[in-house]
Amino acid sequence: MTEKQTHAFATSQTATKLLGGRPDCPFMPVFGAPQVMFERGQGTQLWDVNGKRYLDFLCGIAVTSLGHSHPVIAAAIAHQANTLLHVSNFFSNPVATQTAMMVDKLVSESFGAKNAGQVFFCNSGAEANEAGIKLARKFGGRGKHVVVSALGSFHGRTLAALAATGQPEKHEPFAPMPEGFRHVVFNDIKSLEASLDASVAAVLLETVQGEGGVIPASVEYLQAVRKLCTERGILMMIDEVQTGFARTGKWFGFEHADIKPDVVMLAKAMGNGMPIGALWATKEVASVFKPGDHGSTFSGTAIATAAARATIQLMIDMDAPAVVQQKGEELSAKLRTINSVVEVRGRGLLLAAELKPELDAKKIATQLLDLGLVVNGVTSHALRFAPPFTVSSAEIDEAIEIMKVVL
Ligand SMILES: *Cc1c(COP(=O)(O)O)cnc(C)c1O
């Protein structure tokens, strides 16, 4: 081993020693040492292996939006597990077909259209972005393949999604990155305009930069991007992996700006914890894909789409956007009553509390965890909140009380 490898190995050994009392756990050390080992969840609550109770105001990063162990989703998964798990894409199954129709209906209706697009199922947010980047390249054609995205963005960890991610420090260890990506200043239309030339196929944006610190794109910016993309014949691709499925108080984050995107990426909350993602594109754009251009063994697998179908149907039945709007207002108003919170930003139930600059958000998050509140330090001075849509007022009050104790 080289010295660098020896050091990495030693570090990974230290990390595995901390793995909840399991020094034999063979996880690769990409995530750092986990702080708690959770065993079970119910609604907003989690319990660790020692039986200690926590309030989950993070939802596995905006994933379990309907809470843990939702009985209807659990039953849908169990039923599908006893019926049909998987058949491959040489064939189809009724669950995937129905789920694709539901996703297309939701996206299309969000800009007042009907059956406007087509859907490709995948297993994660990064995969949805990979598929979207390939689609943009095929749509643009030779010489028109560049994808422009924003500094501070996050689009995933696979190579092309990482190249689109506007965080150069994450690229550095894996250079050279795939060619054909460009980054511009977020929320700055002049910066975007200056980057556009004949080689640009698509603009890829989040409507709220989640990993970047819960920074919303302004309505004017999104509308100006839409206008510019239309004028230049460039695709507007919206990464709704974190913001999609009602998290921001609308079905999709782009609805806040009243725009119609050409391509939409979805994942996180789609299966309430079952790994599934989707790429949606208008029929015109999707039609450039031909058999063999893209695929995935697990695309549209019955067990994952059954979870997504149940999740989406529950969200429709509860009018999730309205619920999220109301609870988001309640949570942000209560966060504003805390002395050390200088700003609350975000949309719906995707919020960040900016703390006084002398407070270290990662340390505060650890102290909150000790007292039973799960959130995360999304930047060095801001905490991210993404509680389930089913969170009660009493649970919000309990979380605020824990914050007041720590702060
Ligand atoms: C989490 C996230 C991704 C990556 O999703 P994975 O499922 O982790 O691959 C992509 N884009 C956005 C906006 C995200 O928040």
Side-chain angles (χ1 to χ4, degrees), residues 124-127 129 154-157 206 211 239 241-242 267-268:
S124 68
E127 280 179 56
N129 280 309
F154 184 77
H155 299 293
R157 302 283 189 167
E206 292 159 277
E211 299 313 295
D239 181 345
V241 167
Q242 191 156 155
K268 288 194 166 87

Side-chain angles (χ1 to χ4, degrees), residues 61 123-129 153-158 161 165 205-206 208-211 239-243 265 267-268 276 384:
I61 318 184
N123 311 289
S124 68
E127 280 179 56
N129 280 309
S153 64
F154 184 77
H155 299 293
R157 302 283 189 167
T158 56
T165 293
L205 289 173
E206 292 159 277
V208 178
Q209 286 192 338
E211 299 313 295
D239 181 345
E240 293 273 356
V241 167
Q242 191 156 155
T243 46
M265 290 79 168
K268 288 194 166 87
I276 182 165
R384 169 172 43 189

